[in-house]
Amino acid sequence: MRKTIIAGNWKMYKSPKQALDFAHSLSDIEPNETVRVIVCAPYLALPLLKEKVTLPLEISAQNVHQEEEGAFTGEISASMLTSIGVDITLIGHSERRQYFGESDDVVARKVRRALSHELDIILCVGEHLEQREAGEEESVVSNQLKAALSGVSKEEMKSISIAYEPVWAIGTGKTASSEDAQAMGSHIRKELISLYDEETSSACSLLYGGSVKPENIDELLAQPDVDGVLVGGASLDPESFRKLVEAGNRK
Ligand code: PGA
């Protein structure tokens, strides 16, 4: 059975100490067995979180470089992450695509590199507002998926969850309707059947992201093809994040 995933994406917020304080204040959360609770922390906070924090809070990176190693000033490799026990990463977040020029090809190379180090991946896809207004959202997401998953085997798909994050809903307070989130979830499910098969598709956790908060999470998680959420702003405050985890338990 696929898992419900409640993932917080802290982006460029929280010092290591603030990250640890957050984790400590949530040490009593009790997610159901079918729920994974993940925080995607800034690189600097990862070593301390990995050292001090135990399940049920899982710790993820927000990005990873596509090359094994080399002269890439300021970058972090997959083996550096695994060397401190980090075994999950986001890949292809729209802010990486938009502000750091990550093309579909770069995203695909990151996916393959992360898989070769046995990292779990939350792969982000999603259309811009103009693309939705032109009715192109499904083809945009299909193309992003086909590119990112090229060369990824059925077996490797077990390590991948997919987060649909319409760019126009990120940080804007404008959430996609639960119908739109479900429609895209169902589209992604069909795309995975055509790329792989029914079994692979139905085992893959699909997340929705974009202005998710305690007030709207239940409606989103009520959709059959919304298995979880990737949350930016509303994941920063521990009490708000706690409410998101509680909603995960109600799914
Ligand atoms: P948001 O961000 O919840 O602040 O809209 C979501 C994300 O970027 O993953």
Side-chain angles (χ1 to χ4, degrees), residues 53-80:
V53 176
T54 50
L55 284 168
L57 206 54
E58 296 184 71
I59 309 300
S60 169
Q62 299 174 6
N63 180 35
V64 64
H65 196 265
Q66 60 273 25
E67 296 297 335
E68 186 58 37
E69 61 181 5
F72 301 105
T73 302
E75 291 293 320
I76 297 288
S77 71
S79 60
M80 291 173 190

Side-chain angles (χ1 to χ4, degrees), residues 1-217:
M1 210 189 108
R2 46 179 195 262
K3 295 257 177 157
T4 300
I5 297 180
I6 306 296
N9 174 15
W10 288 346
K11 310 192 180 189
M12 200 171 71
Y13 294 99
K14 294 196 190 295
S15 67
K17 172 158 187 331
Q18 289 168 331
L20 191 61
D21 288 347
F22 176 103
H24 281 155
S25 61
L26 288 180
S27 56
D28 60 335
I29 53 166
E30 289 180 344
N32 295 345
E33 256 170 51
T34 54
V35 179
R36 287 179 76 182
V37 183
I38 301 173
V39 290
C40 307
Y43 283 138
L44 274 189
L46 294 175
L48 193 61
L49 290 175
K50 284 307 297 186
E51 194 186 314
K52 306 273 189 205
V53 176
T54 50
L55 284 168
L57 206 54
E58 296 184 71
I59 309 300
S60 169
Q62 299 174 6
N63 180 35
V64 64
H65 196 265
Q66 60 273 25
E67 296 297 335
E68 186 58 37
E69 61 181 5
F72 301 105
T73 302
E75 291 293 320
I76 297 288
S77 71
S79 60
M80 291 173 190
L81 293 177
T82 57
S83 75
I84 59 160
V86 172
D87 52 7
I88 317 172
T89 186
L90 293 182
I91 292 182
H93 190 279
S94 65
E95 286 152 17
R96 299 292 319 168
R97 295 178 190 255
Q98 193 169 345
Y99 305 129
F100 301 92
E102 288 187 12
S103 62
D104 281 343
D105 175 56
V106 167
V107 169
R109 285 159 61 204
K110 288 181 181 229
V111 166
R112 289 198 294 274
R113 183 68 60 192
L115 287 171
S116 74
H117 288 271
E118 297 181 352
L119 287 159
D120 276 1
I121 296 167
I122 301 175
L123 171 67
C124 304
V125 294
E127 82 286 355
H128 285 267
L129 185 58
E130 314 78 71
Q131 293 168 322
R132 174 160 283 265
E133 284 172 348
E136 294 165 359
E137 67 275 13
E138 292 192 350
S139 62
V140 167
V141 167
S142 289
N143 289 338
Q144 289 174 336
L145 282 176
K146 282 183 204 146
L149 300 178
S150 63
V152 173
S153 71
K154 181 172 149 61
E155 186 57 30
E156 287 170 327
M157 277 305 291
K158 292 182 183 152
S159 305
I160 299 186
S161 308
I162 296 169
Y164 167 58
E165 297 203 303
V167 179
W168 47 269
I170 295 180
T172 57
K174 214 167 137 190
T175 326
S177 66
S178 48
E179 291 79 22
D180 286 344
Q182 167 55 26
M184 187 58 83
S186 155
H187 174 72
I188 293 172
R189 201 74 78 199
K190 285 192 204 115
E191 195 62 65
L192 293 176
I193 294 175
S194 81
L195 291 172
Y196 298 94
D197 53 26
E198 183 82 46
E199 189 195 5
T200 308
S201 174
S202 72
C204 186
S205 290
L206 303 184
L207 283 62
Y208 166 80
S211 299
V212 176
K213 36 189 182 288
E215 297 75 40
N216 60 21
I217 185 173

